[in-house]
Amino acid sequence: MAITLYGISNCDTVAKARKWLEGNGYTYTFYDYKKGGADAEKITGWVLEAGLDKVLNKSGTTWKKIPEDLRAILDETSSIALMAEQPSMIKRPILEYDTKGGTGLLVGFKAPEWAVALG
């Protein structure tokens, strides 16, 4: 099974997810979008599958630094562009994995949810 973990290397939640994957015997590719950049097309796919509210990290400091009046007028397209420009605004981690019917997607780290999905 091919697994790709997207995130930022110095993120505590990403570190927990990596430890969980390794502890459960999963091999994966890690993509640090702070170093490699965030692709707007990839983000668009995540938003289409999981929803903007799930992919856009509104609890981080980057989001909170955006003026309230600007946050109020952001739509899906401008939010995706903003996440591509500032990858720390993407919820972490994001996991893509192969399934029998295609590709699965997990946003955020919840060990029980990951165990069921990857089981």
Side-chain angles (χ1 to χ4, degrees), residues 5-108:
L5 180 69
Y6 295 87
I8 298 170
S9 59
N10 66 347
C11 173
D12 291 341
T13 307
V14 170
K16 289 176 191 173
R18 293 178 81 167
K19 184 177 180 180
W20 184 90
L21 286 168
E22 292 160 8
N24 286 281
Y26 294 103
T27 57
Y28 62 94
T29 302
F30 178 64
Y31 183 83
D32 186 334
Y33 40 62
K34 268 274 185 145
K35 293 178 183 172
D39 179 63
E41 192 173 314
K42 172 79 65 188
I43 297 167
T44 299
W46 293 338
V47 168
L48 289 172
E49 187 167 339
L52 181 62
D53 288 338
K54 196 157 187 179
V55 177
L56 180 61
N57 179 10
K58 291 184 177 180
S59 63
T61 56
T62 306
W63 172 259
K64 292 174 182 173
K65 288 179 184 176
I66 297 172
E68 185 69 38
D69 57 335
L70 179 58
R71 283 190 257 166
I73 61 169
L74 286 174
D75 61 8
E76 188 172 286
T77 302
S78 56
S79 294
I80 289 167
L82 198 56
M83 286 186 277
E85 188 178 297
Q86 298 185 46
S88 58
M89 292 187 62
I90 302 168
K91 178 80 171 180
R92 300 181 294 273
I94 292 185
L95 188 84
E96 291 181 333
Y97 59 98
D98 290 341
T99 67
K100 291 177 184 174
T103 304
L105 181 73
L106 297 168
V107 180

